[in-house]
Amino acid sequence: MNVMIMTDLEGVSGVDKDEMVSCEGTAEHKFAIERLMLDVNAAIEGAFDGGADVVYVVDGHGGGNNFIKDMLDKRSKQLSVKEWEGKITNGEIDAYMEVGVHAMAGTINAFLDHTQSSLSWYNYMVNGRKCGEIAQGAIFAGAFDVPFVMVSGDEAACVEAKAFLGDIECAIVKYGVGRNKAKTVQLDEALRRIKKASQESLKLVGKIRIYKPLMPLEIKLELCRSDMCDALIQTHDNIERVDARTVRKIVNKIDSYRDILF
């Protein structure tokens, strides 16, 4: 069984302040990326214990450069964003997981809630349903019949994952207090939860419903300001403007992750 683990940073255990994610080079940011590696390794260990033959991992936060490679479990194989897309589109992946995730923009008491850009993206909707990055991952994986089986992150992210994907395995590692603060689970307990969720999630392969919204997809993006919409229209030729702040596009077929973005 081949398992793919995508990662983010906001939903990592022990990370409870905005500065720990945004202020690179500080001691707090270093702590955050060290926790990222421990969370990822817990998921890797759980996947192997659950029957995985190969575990691929992707450094998915902010374009990468977050992994401390010396800390990564040597049994896993790190992939670039382009490589992970290829593994999924070529039918090489049997189960998909996300570690360190966050809830969609506009979620109350969700630590660092956003969808793609916290500065410019206000609402992202697929077929009329407000979505976030968890749903994006599920749509892409599901287009190639890959089941999304596990997430770790704050409570709001886990609630969101279950709302979209059903009874997947979730590891809650913290609880949002407003947007910019969180109450964290004890660190060793967080790793135990991640490992258990990862291990148990592989039992869902072949049983859990694969997420497949009706095609074609109507994807709308509501931006924060009209000038942001002006700029987007100028650089994309496959979208149309709906109003001052909103654009839309129709996706008839998903060939890459970019197809569901703007």
Side-chain angles (χ1 to χ4, degrees):
M1 182 184 299
N2 295 342
V3 175
M4 178 73 72
I5 302 176
M6 174 61 70
T7 69
D8 212 339
L9 191 57
E10 289 87 356
V12 166
S13 65
V15 176
D16 59 2
K17 296 189 292 294
D18 182 16
E19 295 80 8
M20 299 178 78
V21 175
S22 59
C23 297
E24 295 185 20
T26 63
E28 288 190 325
H29 182 264
K30 184 175 184 294
F31 174 82
I33 60 175
E34 288 174 349
R35 290 306 308 179
L36 168 63
M37 302 316 299
L38 294 175
D39 285 11
V40 173
N41 285 345
I44 293 167
E45 184 176 0
F48 278 119
D49 287 351
D53 299 301
V54 181
V55 178
Y56 299 104
V57 294
V58 185
D59 183 355
H61 176 74
N65 297 318
N66 304 286
F67 277 12
I68 303 172
K69 294 185 179 181
D70 289 344
M71 290 183 66
L72 182 64
D73 189 319
K74 300 300 186 293
R75 295 174 295 173
S76 67
K77 299 181 180 181
Q78 185 179 351
L79 301 179
S80 68
V81 172
K82 183 176 181 179
E83 288 171 330
W84 86 267
E85 283 193 84
K87 292 290 183 185
I88 289 179
T89 59
N90 291 335
E92 299 178 48
I93 301 302
D94 301 297
Y96 178 76
M97 307 178 185
E98 292 189 350
V99 168
V101 299
H102 55 81
M104 72 176 79
T107 305
I108 192 168
N109 286 329
F111 183 65
L112 299 182
D113 65 294
H114 67 280
T115 305
Q116 246 68 46
S117 170
S118 59
L119 298 178
S120 61
W121 286 35
Y122 188 73
N123 280 320
Y124 169 89
M125 292 157 284
V126 179
N127 293 347
R129 185 179 186 183
K130 187 177 175 183
C131 297
E133 295 175 26
I134 295 170
Q136 289 172 354
I139 291 168
F140 178 63
F144 300 93
D145 298 317
V146 179
F148 193 147
V149 295
M150 177 266 188
V151 301
S152 72
D154 73 341
E155 180 185 40
C158 292
V159 169
E160 182 178 316
K162 285 182 176 290
F164 278 88
L165 305 174
D167 196 22
I168 71 169
E169 290 291 330
C170 294
I172 298 173
V173 301
K174 59 186 146 188
Y175 301 84
V177 181
R179 182 183 189 270
N180 296 330
K181 294 182 180 180
K183 179 181 178 182
T184 60
V185 171
Q186 198 275 334
L187 297 180
D188 289 341
E189 170 63 14
L191 297 181
R192 187 194 68 79
R193 292 183 183 186
I194 293 169
K195 178 183 175 181
K196 181 180 178 182
S198 176
Q199 180 175 349
E200 293 296 313
S201 73
L202 295 188
K203 296 177 183 178
L204 300 174
V205 176
K207 300 176 183 178
I208 196 169
R209 176 179 62 88
I210 294 174
Y211 190 67
K212 286 180 173 288
L214 291 175
M215 300 291 288
L217 303 179
E218 180 195 50
I219 304 181
K220 289 184 178 180
L221 174 62
E222 185 180 5
L223 295 146
C224 292
R225 298 198 314 259
S226 59
D227 60 338
M228 295 173 177
C229 197
D230 295 339
L232 198 62
I233 284 289
Q234 291 174 7
T235 57
H236 292 67
D237 58 9
N238 64 335
I239 64 177
E240 64 176 324
R241 193 164 192 162
V242 176
D243 57 33
R245 295 191 301 162
T246 308
V247 296
R248 72 187 284 269
K249 68 177 180 178
I250 302 297
V251 177
N252 293 296
K253 186 174 184 292
I254 298 173
D255 294 311
S256 75
Y257 195 74
R258 290 296 310 172
D259 290 334
I260 59 176
L261 302 180
F262 286 87

